Amino acid sequence: MADAPLLEFRQVSRFYGRGEAMIRALHRVDLSIRAVEFVSIMGPSGSGKSTSMNIIGGLDVPSSGEYLVQGIPTTNFTRTQLTLLRRHMLGFVFQGFNLLARTSAVENVELPLVYREMPPRERRKRALQALEQVGLKGREGHTTQELSGGQQQRVAIARAIVTDPAVLLADEPTGNLDTKTSREIMDLISRLNRDRGITVIMVTHEEDIAAYGKRLLRFVDGRLTSDEMRVREAEHVH
């Protein structure tokens, strides 16, 4: 299994509903992603990109086909096993930040470590390190309301990386941000991929944001219609 892809879809389909009301969200998708890749996913609404991300993230399961993690089929994983997969291997960043209001930045970042039952002192140390890594040293005690949108997304990224995940799943991570802040957030995500070796899988509607990835997948009507390697254009912009 040493040479197995980190993540793999084998003929994955996902259907919702039955009969005439059935929605075919994914149709027999084959896909493999290796460690330390930076993969951008694009496609119109309803194309299957979010369903793919949900399956990769252990938030949904295929109707047919197989989803493998490090060569291990997840088909018969229990809900507990899927939770452990999310908790120990994956980090999530969303468009809406999903931070706790009236709670400090450091407490937000500590949350995944609370679920791991890490001792408070170690938890606080790790959270402060993660906030420093995303450029928020000195803002640890600020609540969500006291932070800008870009700072809130940095807190969300710190929360995602505090567990040292193998994979960062980013769903429209710049969707609520202006152009300058979007570029700062994408530079940060690119550094995590390059310097910490975190595999990044990102859904976006924006071509310039997708250009940060080294590989671009396009979905249309539940099918993977193109898979191309790219020179990371963003590296030539600055």
Side-chain angles (χ1 to χ4, degrees), residues 109-152:
V109 175
E110 283 181 327
L111 200 57
L113 304 178
V114 172
Y115 293 134
R116 284 193 179 186
E117 301 179 353
M118 185 177 285
R121 186 175 292 181
E122 176 67 14
R123 200 166 70 210
R124 180 58 54 101
K125 178 184 168 190
R126 292 270 293 269
L128 290 172
Q129 287 172 342
L131 283 166
E132 186 171 355
Q133 286 171 346
V134 301
L136 286 180
K137 188 174 174 64
R139 304 270 183 182
E140 300 91 346
H142 286 56
T143 64
T144 302
Q145 292 98 320
E146 296 169 327
L147 298 172
S148 68
Q151 289 169 335
Q152 289 183 53

Side-chain angles (χ1 to χ4, degrees), residues 39-45 47-50 172 202-211 215-220 223-226 230:
V39 180
S40 300
I41 301 177
M42 298 193 76
S45 296
S47 62
K49 59 187 188 301
S50 294
E172 299 281 1
M202 175 182 68
V203 164
T204 180
H205 278 102
E206 302 166 73
E207 292 281 354
D208 60 326
I209 298 300
R215 183 175 168 198
L216 175 62
L217 309 179
R218 291 188 189 273
F219 281 83
V220 177
R223 299 172 189 270
L224 179 59
T225 56
S226 75
R230 324 176 93 192

Side-chain angles (χ1 to χ4, degrees), residues 64-76:
S64 64
E66 278 192 323
Y67 170 42
L68 298 90
V69 177
Q70 293 177 318
I72 300 167
T74 63
T75 310
N76 296 317

Side-chain angles (χ1 to χ4, degrees), residues 18 22 28-29 67 77 83 99 107 137 144 146 171 203 205 237:
R18 294 183 177 182
M22 187 172 73
R28 302 182 68 157
V29 172
Y67 170 42
F77 273 23
T83 299
L99 300 176
E107 288 168 330
K137 188 174 174 64
T144 302
E146 296 169 327
D171 193 356
V203 164
H205 278 102
V237 171

